[in-house]
Amino acid sequence: MTVLDVPTDAYAAADWLAARHPWVRQLVERIAGRIEEHPGWLDAVTAAVNGHLADAAAWEAYEARHPAPDGDAAFWEWHAQGPKVSPEVRAFGVMSSGEKRLIRLVATLGGRVAWSPHDVSFDQRGAAVLADWLAIVHARLPASLYPAASDDALVVRLAAVIDAVNGEVRAVSR
């Protein structure tokens, strides 16, 4: 088992996740554009997640004040008069629930976002991202919090998932 240095800086950790998991990269780029051209992509993704919550509230208020009309033409006119969102929020908004869960997990590295253990419902790819996310959390905590015998226990126990998706398992060393 080789040693892997897990970044503790939030932006470096987000780049690390995107580099290790093509699915993360694909989803991020649907929101923020090409990662190489957008070094602040984590901020854009975090803003999209939080902006989506604000958008949902704005639409709820709009619909309460102006109920949706019947008929296609009237509906689309009504829709056009509704709250406006950024392209990033729109890109996040049309993602599937599984894609949104994964993006919310990544966005936790960029700031405060609505996320809970209820969001942990992933396929194998998502489980591998979660395992790496837990490795980042593990690496960010002071080594003094862990008994010496358990230093890499969390990451090693999650390694089977990472191994199945990413290849060779690597432990985090402090």
Side-chain angles (χ1 to χ4, degrees), residues 70-144:
D70 292 330
D72 285 346
F75 173 83
W76 289 113
E77 176 62 29
W78 169 85
H79 189 271
Q81 299 302 316
K84 307 296 184 255
V85 297
S86 70
E88 294 84 5
V89 171
R90 191 174 311 109
F92 176 75
V94 299
M95 288 182 168
S96 72
S97 60
E99 292 169 339
K100 286 178 180 174
R101 280 191 297 272
L102 185 68
I103 287 296
R104 281 195 304 270
L105 180 68
V106 172
T108 63
L109 298 171
R112 296 192 186 279
V113 297
W115 188 87
S116 79
H118 177 72
D119 288 320
V120 180
S121 176
F122 297 117
D123 61 9
Q124 188 178 34
R125 295 176 303 176
V129 175
L130 177 62
D132 277 350
W133 182 86
L134 289 168
I136 293 166
V137 171
H138 178 77
R140 289 180 61 124
L141 294 172
S144 62

